Amino acid sequence: MSEPIIRVENVSFSYNPSAEKPVFALQDINLEVFPGDYLVIVGHNGSGKSTLAKHFNALLRPTQGDVWVDGMNTKDPKCVLPIRATVGMVFQIPDNQIVATVVEEDVAFGPANLGVPEEELRARVDWALKIVDMDAYRQRAPHLLSSGQKQRVAIAGAMALKPKVLVLDESTSMLDPAGREEVLKAVRTLNKEGTTIVAITHFMHEAVEGNRVIVMEAGRIVAQGSPREVFSNVETLRALHLDVPQVTELAYELHKRDNTFPADLLTVDEIVQEIERRLEQKERIGGYSWARHYTGQ
Ligand SMILES: Nc1ncnc2c1ncn2[C@@H]1O[C@H](COP(=O)(O)OP(=O)(O)OP(=O)(O)O)[C@@H](O)[C@H]1O
Ligand SMILES: [Mg+2]
Protein backbone atom coordinates (compact mmCIF):
# COMPACT_ATOMS: atom_id res chain seq x y z
CA MET A 1 0.00 0.00 0.00
CA SER A 2 1.19 3.53 -0.70
CA GLU A 3 2.34 5.92 2.00
CA PRO A 4 -0.44 7.96 3.61
CA ILE A 5 -0.64 11.57 2.43
CA ILE A 6 -1.95 12.54 5.90
CA ARG A 7 -1.08 10.67 9.08
CA VAL A 8 -2.63 11.62 12.40
CA GLU A 9 -0.82 9.95 15.31
CA ASN A 10 -2.29 9.88 18.82
CA VAL A 11 -3.57 13.43 18.47
CA SER A 12 -5.34 15.24 21.26
CA PHE A 13 -6.13 18.91 21.00
CA SER A 14 -7.37 21.52 23.43
CA TYR A 15 -8.30 25.13 22.62
CA ASN A 16 -7.32 26.01 26.22
CA PRO A 17 -4.37 23.68 27.03
CA SER A 18 -2.98 25.82 29.84
CA ALA A 19 -6.30 26.24 31.65
CA GLU A 20 -6.72 24.59 35.02
CA LYS A 21 -9.13 22.11 33.47
CA PRO A 22 -8.39 22.03 29.74
CA VAL A 23 -11.24 20.87 27.53
CA PHE A 24 -10.17 18.51 24.77
CA ALA A 25 -11.86 18.99 21.38
CA LEU A 26 -9.93 15.99 19.99
CA GLN A 27 -8.92 12.95 21.98
CA ASP A 28 -6.49 10.30 20.89
CA ILE A 29 -7.15 10.45 17.18
CA ASN A 30 -5.34 8.05 14.87
CA LEU A 31 -6.07 8.27 11.19
CA GLU A 32 -4.36 7.75 7.85
CA VAL A 33 -5.56 9.30 4.62
CA PHE A 34 -4.16 7.72 1.47
CA PRO A 35 -3.58 9.30 -1.95
CA GLY A 36 -6.80 9.05 -3.96
CA ASP A 37 -9.04 8.58 -0.92
CA TYR A 38 -12.40 10.31 -0.69
CA LEU A 39 -12.79 10.44 3.07
CA VAL A 40 -16.04 11.72 4.54
CA ILE A 41 -16.24 12.91 8.15
CA VAL A 42 -19.64 12.93 9.84
CA GLY A 43 -20.66 13.62 13.41
CA HIS A 44 -22.78 15.83 15.58
CA ASN A 45 -22.32 19.58 16.04
CA GLY A 46 -19.26 20.13 18.20
CA SER A 47 -17.91 16.59 17.76
CA GLY A 48 -14.57 17.95 16.52
CA LYS A 49 -14.84 17.60 12.73
CA SER A 50 -13.63 21.12 11.88
CA THR A 51 -10.96 20.99 14.58
CA LEU A 52 -9.60 17.79 13.03
CA ALA A 53 -9.77 19.21 9.49
CA LYS A 54 -7.81 22.30 10.57
CA HIS A 55 -5.01 19.99 11.72
CA PHE A 56 -4.66 18.76 8.14
CA ASN A 57 -3.17 22.03 6.90
CA ALA A 58 -1.51 23.31 10.05
CA LEU A 59 -4.21 25.88 10.84
CA LEU A 60 -4.15 24.10 14.21
CA ARG A 61 -1.36 22.02 15.72
CA PRO A 62 -1.81 19.10 18.10
CA THR A 63 -1.60 19.63 21.87
CA GLN A 64 -0.39 16.02 22.01
CA GLY A 65 0.67 13.75 19.19
CA ASP A 66 1.65 14.55 15.62
CA VAL A 67 0.14 15.22 12.22
CA TRP A 68 2.23 14.41 9.17
CA VAL A 69 1.31 15.77 5.74
CA ASP A 70 3.21 14.24 2.84
CA GLY A 71 5.99 13.41 5.31
CA MET A 72 6.06 16.92 6.86
CA ASN A 73 5.26 17.49 10.54
CA THR A 74 2.72 20.31 11.04
CA LYS A 75 4.63 21.38 14.18
CA ASP A 76 7.72 22.24 12.12
CA PRO A 77 7.49 25.97 11.27
CA LYS A 78 9.49 25.40 8.08
CA CYS A 79 6.81 23.04 6.84
CA VAL A 80 3.77 25.29 7.27
CA LEU A 81 3.86 26.84 3.80
CA PRO A 82 4.55 23.61 1.90
CA ILE A 83 1.80 21.94 3.96
CA ARG A 84 -0.69 24.69 3.03
CA ALA A 85 0.30 24.19 -0.62
CA THR A 86 -0.34 20.45 -0.26
CA VAL A 87 -3.72 20.68 1.47
CA GLY A 88 -6.29 23.17 0.15
CA MET A 89 -9.41 24.11 2.11
CA VAL A 90 -12.88 25.19 1.11
CA PHE A 91 -15.28 26.39 3.79
CA GLN A 92 -19.00 26.71 4.32
CA ILE A 93 -19.85 30.20 3.11
CA PRO A 94 -18.88 30.87 -0.51
CA ASP A 95 -19.11 34.69 -0.22
CA ASN A 96 -16.37 34.77 2.40
CA GLN A 97 -13.94 33.11 0.03
CA ILE A 98 -14.31 35.45 -2.92
CA VAL A 99 -11.63 38.11 -3.26
CA ALA A 100 -11.85 39.53 -6.80
CA THR A 101 -14.54 41.13 -8.97
CA VAL A 102 -14.07 38.82 -11.97
CA VAL A 103 -14.26 35.03 -11.73
CA GLU A 104 -10.96 34.27 -13.48
CA GLU A 105 -9.11 36.84 -11.40
CA ASP A 106 -10.53 35.30 -8.28
CA VAL A 107 -9.27 31.87 -9.28
CA ALA A 108 -5.87 33.33 -10.23
CA PHE A 109 -5.50 35.20 -6.94
CA GLY A 110 -3.80 32.47 -4.88
CA PRO A 111 -1.21 31.26 -7.40
CA ALA A 112 -0.55 34.84 -8.61
CA ASN A 113 0.34 35.77 -5.01
CA LEU A 114 2.77 32.87 -4.90
CA GLY A 115 4.47 34.26 -7.99
CA VAL A 116 3.38 31.57 -10.43
CA PRO A 117 4.54 32.79 -13.88
CA GLU A 118 1.93 34.19 -16.29
CA GLU A 119 1.74 31.27 -18.72
CA GLU A 120 1.53 28.64 -16.01
CA LEU A 121 -1.00 30.80 -14.16
CA ARG A 122 -3.26 30.95 -17.21
CA ALA A 123 -3.01 27.19 -17.69
CA ARG A 124 -3.94 26.54 -14.06
CA VAL A 125 -6.93 28.92 -14.15
CA ASP A 126 -8.19 27.29 -17.37
CA TRP A 127 -7.84 23.81 -15.88
CA ALA A 128 -9.44 24.73 -12.54
CA LEU A 129 -12.43 26.48 -14.15
CA LYS A 130 -13.00 23.57 -16.53
CA ILE A 131 -12.89 20.95 -13.83
CA VAL A 132 -15.64 22.70 -11.82
CA ASP A 133 -17.54 23.44 -15.03
CA MET A 134 -17.38 27.22 -14.63
CA ASP A 135 -15.40 27.96 -17.78
CA ALA A 136 -18.31 29.78 -19.39
CA TYR A 137 -18.48 32.21 -16.44
CA ARG A 138 -14.84 33.25 -16.35
CA GLN A 139 -15.55 36.92 -17.19
CA ARG A 140 -18.54 37.22 -14.85
CA ALA A 141 -18.77 39.02 -11.53
CA PRO A 142 -18.67 36.40 -8.77
CA HIS A 143 -21.20 38.22 -6.57
CA LEU A 144 -23.86 37.79 -9.28
CA LEU A 145 -23.50 34.01 -9.39
CA SER A 146 -25.69 31.47 -7.59
CA SER A 147 -24.35 30.04 -4.32
CA GLY A 148 -23.49 26.74 -6.00
CA GLN A 149 -21.59 28.57 -8.74
CA LYS A 150 -19.75 30.71 -6.17
CA GLN A 151 -18.75 27.60 -4.24
CA ARG A 152 -17.43 26.03 -7.45
CA VAL A 153 -15.36 29.18 -8.05
CA ALA A 154 -14.02 28.84 -4.49
CA ILE A 155 -13.08 25.22 -5.26
CA ALA A 156 -11.39 26.31 -8.51
CA GLY A 157 -9.46 28.93 -6.50
CA ALA A 158 -8.24 26.27 -4.09
CA MET A 159 -7.39 23.88 -6.94
CA ALA A 160 -5.42 26.55 -8.85
CA LEU A 161 -2.82 26.13 -6.10
CA LYS A 162 -2.51 22.50 -7.23
CA PRO A 163 -2.99 20.89 -3.80
CA LYS A 164 -2.75 17.11 -3.51
CA VAL A 165 -5.56 17.13 -0.95
CA LEU A 166 -8.74 19.21 -0.92
CA VAL A 167 -10.60 19.55 2.38
CA LEU A 168 -14.23 20.68 2.17
CA ASP A 169 -15.73 21.72 5.51
CA GLU A 170 -19.50 21.61 5.00
CA SER A 171 -19.04 23.26 1.63
CA THR A 172 -22.52 22.29 0.50
CA SER A 173 -24.46 23.21 3.63
CA MET A 174 -25.46 26.73 2.49
CA LEU A 175 -26.48 25.61 -1.00
CA ASP A 176 -29.81 24.64 -2.52
CA PRO A 177 -30.15 21.03 -3.74
CA ALA A 178 -29.15 21.93 -7.32
CA GLY A 179 -26.08 23.82 -6.10
CA ARG A 180 -25.17 20.94 -3.84
CA GLU A 181 -25.33 18.48 -6.71
CA GLU A 182 -23.14 20.78 -8.89
CA VAL A 183 -20.50 20.94 -6.17
CA LEU A 184 -20.60 17.19 -5.53
CA LYS A 185 -20.14 16.58 -9.24
CA ALA A 186 -17.09 18.86 -9.32
CA VAL A 187 -15.61 17.12 -6.26
CA ARG A 188 -16.27 13.70 -7.79
CA THR A 189 -14.43 14.79 -10.96
CA LEU A 190 -11.47 16.10 -8.94
CA ASN A 191 -11.24 12.83 -7.05
CA LYS A 192 -11.39 10.81 -10.28
CA GLU A 193 -8.54 12.91 -11.65
CA GLY A 194 -6.42 12.07 -8.61
CA THR A 195 -7.05 14.70 -5.92
CA THR A 196 -7.44 13.26 -2.43
CA ILE A 197 -10.69 14.52 -0.90
CA VAL A 198 -11.64 15.02 2.73
CA ALA A 199 -15.26 16.16 3.02
CA ILE A 200 -17.15 17.08 6.17
CA THR A 201 -20.91 16.94 5.84
CA HIS A 202 -24.17 16.76 7.75
CA PHE A 203 -25.92 15.25 4.74
CA MET A 204 -25.74 11.50 5.07
CA HIS A 205 -26.54 10.84 1.42
CA GLU A 206 -23.39 12.85 0.60
CA ALA A 207 -21.34 10.61 2.87
CA VAL A 208 -22.08 7.81 0.42
CA GLU A 209 -19.90 9.63 -2.15
CA GLY A 210 -16.75 8.64 -0.32
CA ASN A 211 -14.75 5.41 -0.24
CA ARG A 212 -14.28 5.82 3.52
CA VAL A 213 -16.36 7.36 6.30
CA ILE A 214 -15.34 8.27 9.83
CA VAL A 215 -17.90 9.07 12.49
CA MET A 216 -16.87 11.47 15.25
CA GLU A 217 -18.40 11.93 18.66
CA ALA A 218 -17.07 14.09 21.49
CA GLY A 219 -13.63 14.46 19.92
CA ARG A 220 -13.12 10.79 19.15
CA ILE A 221 -13.49 8.56 16.10
CA VAL A 222 -16.28 6.18 17.11
CA ALA A 223 -16.87 4.33 13.84
CA GLN A 224 -15.12 4.00 10.51
CA GLY A 225 -15.16 1.94 7.36
CA SER A 226 -16.65 1.98 3.90
CA PRO A 227 -20.01 3.82 3.67
CA ARG A 228 -21.69 0.42 3.43
CA GLU A 229 -19.99 -0.84 6.59
CA VAL A 230 -20.67 2.33 8.56
CA PHE A 231 -24.26 2.94 7.49
CA SER A 232 -25.41 -0.64 7.80
CA ASN A 233 -24.94 -0.17 11.57
CA VAL A 234 -28.25 1.66 11.73
CA GLU A 235 -28.72 1.07 15.46
CA THR A 236 -25.22 2.37 16.31
CA LEU A 237 -25.80 5.53 14.31
CA ARG A 238 -29.19 6.06 15.92
CA ALA A 239 -27.60 5.66 19.34
CA LEU A 240 -25.24 8.49 18.34
CA HIS A 241 -28.30 10.51 17.22
CA LEU A 242 -27.05 10.55 13.67
CA ASP A 243 -29.21 10.05 10.61
CA VAL A 244 -28.59 7.30 8.15
CA PRO A 245 -29.13 7.91 4.43
CA GLN A 246 -32.87 7.66 3.73
CA VAL A 247 -32.31 4.81 1.31
CA THR A 248 -30.44 2.82 3.96
CA GLU A 249 -33.20 3.51 6.47
CA LEU A 250 -35.80 2.17 4.04
CA ALA A 251 -33.70 -0.91 3.23
CA TYR A 252 -33.18 -1.50 6.95
CA GLU A 253 -36.91 -1.30 7.71
CA LEU A 254 -37.71 -3.66 4.83
CA HIS A 255 -34.98 -6.03 6.06
CA LYS A 256 -36.52 -6.02 9.55
CA ARG A 257 -39.80 -7.28 8.06
CA ASP A 258 -38.15 -9.73 5.69
CA ASN A 259 -34.54 -10.69 6.25
CA THR A 260 -34.04 -11.73 2.63
CA PHE A 261 -34.16 -8.04 1.74
CA PRO A 262 -30.59 -6.58 1.87
CA ALA A 263 -30.11 -4.15 4.78
CA ASP A 264 -27.09 -2.32 3.41
CA LEU A 265 -28.28 -0.55 0.26
CA LEU A 266 -26.90 2.96 -0.11
CA THR A 267 -28.26 4.62 -3.21
CA VAL A 268 -31.63 5.15 -4.86
CA ASP A 269 -30.37 3.15 -7.86
CA GLU A 270 -29.47 0.18 -5.69
CA ILE A 271 -32.85 0.04 -4.00
CA VAL A 272 -34.72 0.52 -7.29
CA GLN A 273 -32.74 -2.34 -8.82
CA GLU A 274 -33.46 -4.63 -5.88
CA ILE A 275 -37.17 -3.86 -5.95
CA GLU A 276 -37.36 -4.28 -9.73
CA ARG A 277 -35.58 -7.61 -9.47
CA ARG A 278 -38.05 -8.76 -6.83
CA LEU A 279 -40.99 -7.58 -8.88
CA GLU A 280 -39.69 -9.52 -11.89
CA GLN A 281 -39.09 -12.63 -9.82
CA LYS A 282 -42.40 -12.01 -8.03
CA GLU A 283 -40.48 -12.18 -4.75
CA ARG A 284 -41.63 -10.69 -1.51
CA ILE A 285 -40.72 -7.10 -0.63
CA GLY A 286 -40.68 -6.32 3.04
CA GLY A 287 -43.06 -9.15 3.84
CA TYR A 288 -45.52 -8.07 1.17
CA SER A 289 -46.23 -10.61 -1.50
CA TRP A 290 -46.32 -8.78 -4.79
CA ALA A 291 -47.07 -12.03 -6.55
CA ARG A 292 -50.34 -12.18 -4.64
CA HIS A 293 -50.92 -8.52 -5.49
CA TYR A 294 -50.55 -9.23 -9.18
CA THR A 295 -52.32 -12.55 -9.41
CA GLY A 296 -54.96 -11.92 -6.76
CA GLN A 297 -54.16 -15.33 -5.24
N1 LIG B 1 -12.08 28.61 18.50
C1 LIG B 1 -12.54 27.82 19.49
N2 LIG B 1 -12.25 28.09 20.79
C2 LIG B 1 -12.68 27.29 21.79
N3 LIG B 1 -13.40 26.16 21.59
C3 LIG B 1 -13.71 25.85 20.33
C4 LIG B 1 -13.31 26.64 19.20
N4 LIG B 1 -13.77 26.08 18.07
C5 LIG B 1 -14.44 24.97 18.45
N5 LIG B 1 -14.41 24.83 19.79
C6 LIG B 1 -15.00 23.71 20.56
O1 LIG B 1 -14.36 22.52 20.16
C7 LIG B 1 -15.30 21.46 20.03
C8 LIG B 1 -15.28 20.90 18.63
O2 LIG B 1 -15.71 21.91 17.72
P1 LIG B 1 -15.69 21.76 16.16
O3 LIG B 1 -15.99 23.10 15.58
O4 LIG B 1 -14.44 21.11 15.74
O5 LIG B 1 -16.90 20.76 15.93
P2 LIG B 1 -17.66 20.36 14.56
O6 LIG B 1 -17.82 18.89 14.63
O7 LIG B 1 -16.96 20.95 13.41
O8 LIG B 1 -19.09 21.04 14.77
P3 LIG B 1 -20.11 21.65 13.66
O9 LIG B 1 -20.85 20.47 13.10
O10 LIG B 1 -21.00 22.53 14.48
O11 LIG B 1 -19.32 22.40 12.66
C9 LIG B 1 -16.65 22.04 20.43
O12 LIG B 1 -16.88 21.75 21.78
C10 LIG B 1 -16.46 23.51 20.22
O13 LIG B 1 -17.28 24.26 21.10
MG1 LIG C 1 -17.51 22.30 11.92
Side-chain angles (χ1 to χ4, degrees):
M1 201 185 243
S2 54
E3 284 288 303
I5 182 93
I6 296 174
R7 196 165 81 226
V8 180
E9 271 178 355
N10 305 319
V11 164
S12 296
F13 175 81
S14 171
Y15 284 99
N16 59 348
S18 42
E20 207 172 300
K21 285 189 180 161
V23 181
F24 279 85
L26 296 178
Q27 298 198 55
D28 221 2
I29 301 279
N30 284 287
L31 176 69
E32 289 184 326
V33 183
F34 292 93
D37 266 350
Y38 188 147
L39 174 73
V40 179
I41 307 178
V42 299
H44 244 250
N45 291 330
S47 58
K49 304 181 295 296
S50 297
T51 304
L52 178 59
K54 285 177 184 159
H55 278 77
F56 295 163
N57 76 342
L59 280 175
L60 295 174
R61 282 173 274 278
T63 308
Q64 288 157 24
D66 291 287
V67 176
W68 302 86
V69 175
D70 212 5
M72 299 175 278
N73 193 312
T74 61
K75 282 179 181 163
D76 181 348
K78 288 196 300 297
C79 293
V80 170
L81 285 180
I83 285 172
R84 301 241 166 104
T86 306
V87 181
M89 286 241 180
V90 177
F91 296 97
Q92 197 169 17
I93 302 170
D95 294 87
N96 296 352
Q97 301 171 74
I98 287 169
V99 291
T101 51
V102 179
V103 164
E104 62 179 8
E105 284 170 17
D106 191 83
V107 175
F109 184 80
N113 266 355
L114 289 183
V116 170
E118 186 65 29
E119 204 173 319
E120 161 81 11
L121 185 62
R122 209 166 300 158
R124 285 195 192 190
V125 170
D126 287 352
W127 170 78
L129 283 171
K130 275 207 188 86
I131 211 159
V132 298
D133 202 15
M134 284 297 289
D135 205 25
Y137 295 82
R138 55 191 307 147
Q139 301 290 345
R140 301 282 187 93
H143 68 278
L144 297 178
L145 301 175
S146 74
S147 298
Q149 290 169 333
K150 282 182 197 166
Q151 198 60 297
R152 283 187 283 150
V153 172
I155 292 173
M159 290 312 299
L161 291 164
K162 292 272 177 176
K164 292 183 181 170
V165 184
L166 185 66
V167 178
L168 301 118
D169 190 350
E170 299 199 37
S171 304
T172 61
S173 61
M174 307 297 280
L175 310 182
D176 59 21
R180 241 179 260 159
E181 188 43 49
E182 292 165 11
V183 167
L184 286 181
K185 189 169 160 237
V187 174
R188 236 176 263 147
T189 307
L190 280 171
N191 183 240
K192 275 205 195 91
E193 300 212 350
T195 307
T196 305
I197 304 289
V198 177
I200 297 173
T201 184
H202 277 285
F203 298 113
M204 293 302 155
H205 63 275
E206 288 187 6
V208 169
E209 297 276 329
N211 65 325
R212 294 172 63 198
V213 179
I214 66 175
V215 182
M216 294 193 67
E217 171 73 11
R220 293 178 190 275
I221 296 176
V222 292
Q224 60 182 313
S226 68
R228 210 176 291 283
E229 285 160 354
V230 169
F231 291 118
S232 57
N233 283 319
V234 173
E235 298 300 340
T236 312
L237 292 170
R238 280 198 187 140
L240 293 167
H241 303 287
L242 283 172
D243 294 331
V244 289
Q246 277 177 339
V247 167
T248 310
E249 178 102 42
L250 175 59
Y252 174 75
E253 290 300 327
L254 289 168
H255 174 82
K256 273 206 306 202
R257 290 174 172 214
D258 169 1
N259 65 12
T260 67
F261 198 92
D264 62 350
L265 302 181
L266 287 180
T267 63
V268 172
D269 276 353
E270 284 179 2
I271 208 159
V272 166
Q273 273 173 22
E274 178 64 23
I275 289 176
E276 278 178 352
R277 193 188 64 73
R278 282 166 180 261
L279 286 175
E280 269 167 29
Q281 311 282 321
K282 300 204 166 30
E283 278 178 32
R284 286 144 52 91
I285 300 171
Y288 186 81
S289 168
W290 288 86
R292 197 180 314 140
H293 177 82
Y294 283 130
T295 59
Q297 286 161 6

